[in-house]
Structure formats: structure tokens, C-alpha cells
Amino acid sequence: MPSNQQAELDKFDAMAANWWDPTGDMRPLHDINPLRTTYIERRAGGLKGKRVLDVGCGAGLLSEAMAARGARVTGIDLAPQAIGAAQRHAEQSGLDIEYRVAASRDMAAELAGEFDIVVAYEMLEHVDQPAYVVQDCATLTAPGGHVFFSTINRSPIAWALAIGGAEYVLGLLPRGTHEYAKLVKPAELSAHCRHAGLEVVDISGMRYNPLTHSASLGHRPDVNYFLHARHDEDDA
């Protein structure tokens, strides 16, 4: 594994112990979790009974939220400490979630076309080759299934707000959480989706107010954004 990728995993392993603290370093994720879960649920026509894969699940915030709404969730991540924290919290919560230390590429080889919904939230901006993750997500999705991404636009305003403001001025996230060069423009992510046989059906901006700790959807994907794609049945 490249040293820079290992550094990313070490970064998130170090956060694992406090991941579930709603007032800690991961507070912004706690604040936006209801919005991002509802976005998936509404656009996928519900979560109850759906088989869902959460790629880059961390310590399981989104996985648990989807499981609580009736989804059958598998969460994968390459950070073992984060997966350990996810397993412990799910057990405490009484939720039946399968967590695995695994890469999306390995899962794609093992379980191609097995999931109704595949989600990769707050993950693409931390990998070296996001196109490969998008392809894996497409491979893992059943024909006609749904794929969801959320990430950060590579734009000057995104640097000012998501990195400069959030990490260095307001201290909402640990410094070094994001690297500007790894941020992904909506046009780039859309191109990755098309190349993987996915049809992009929605791109929505996500606005987060750190003063009120609230999040809402918007039309402009200037900073944070969600992307919803469908796996074309004709290409299956």
C-alpha cells in the first residue's frame, strides 16, 4: 500500500476512539448524518429490506442510521481501529450490521451485483484514485440499483470553507483531514460515473452551518455535494 494511503488510514484509525462522541472531532458528521441518510432513503425509494453496502464506513455513523431505518447493511473500511469501533457500537445499539476490514476492489470481485444500494460518503476525497472506487461501486450494485457519493468540490470556495475555515480557523475538524489536491469536482465525478456505466440522476449541494450545527440541501455544489446515480439495467 502506498505510504500516503497508509497515512490516510492511520489518520482515521486515530479518530476511531472518539468517533461516536457527538461533541468531539466528528461532530460535523453527527450533525449532517440525518440529512445524508434521508437523501439516500428518499431517492432510493426507501431503505427497509434493501441490501446496502457502505464503502469507507469509518466507525459506522451512516451504517447504523441506515440499519435503524430497516436496511440490511454491510460496512467496509481499511482502517481496522475504525471497524472495531463500529462493531462495538453496533453491538451496544442492538443492530445487526456486518462490518469487514476490506477494500472495495476485493468486495467487487467477491460480491458483484449483490447490493441494491452502494454508498461512498465522505470517502472519495481521501483516496488516490477515485475512479477505481466509482467503478467498484458500480460493479457491486445490482442492475437498476442506486449508488450514492458525497464529497467536496475542488474549488477556491471549498478550500476557504472546508479546509481553511473548518480545519484552521474554526477547528471543526482536525488539521490535515483534507488535502485540496484530492478534492473532486462534480464534473470529474460525473465522468467517472458514466465511464463505470452509471447514469447520474442528481447532484445536490450540501450546506452546513457550524454555528447552528445544521445541514440542508442546495442547488449549487460549490463545496460539499451529494451525487445520486443509477446502475443502468441495459449495461448489466
Side-chain angles (χ1 to χ4, degrees), residues 137-154:
C137 290
T139 300
L140 285 155
T141 307
H146 303 265
V147 184
F148 293 92
F149 300 103
S150 84
T151 189
I152 305 174
N153 193 351
R154 193 173 69 256

Side-chain angles (χ1 to χ4, degrees), residues 5 8 12 55-57 104 119-137 147-154 177-186 188-190 192-193 198 225-227:
Q5 192 64 48
E8 288 284 350
F12 287 100
V55 179
C57 64
S104 61
V119 183
Y121 269 11
E122 286 78 49
M123 186 257 191
L124 293 179
E125 67 269 25
H126 298 291
V127 301
D128 295 329
Q129 297 177 307
Y132 285 98
V133 177
V134 174
Q135 180 62 65
D136 293 342
C137 290
V147 184
F148 293 92
F149 300 103
S150 84
T151 189
I152 305 174
N153 193 351
R154 193 173 69 256
T177 298
H178 298 107
E179 297 178 31
Y180 182 73
K182 288 186 175 181
L183 305 186
V184 185
K185 292 184 178 182
E188 295 169 344
L189 181 50
S190 297
H192 295 330
C193 287
L198 298 172
Y225 65 96
F226 298 150
L227 185 148

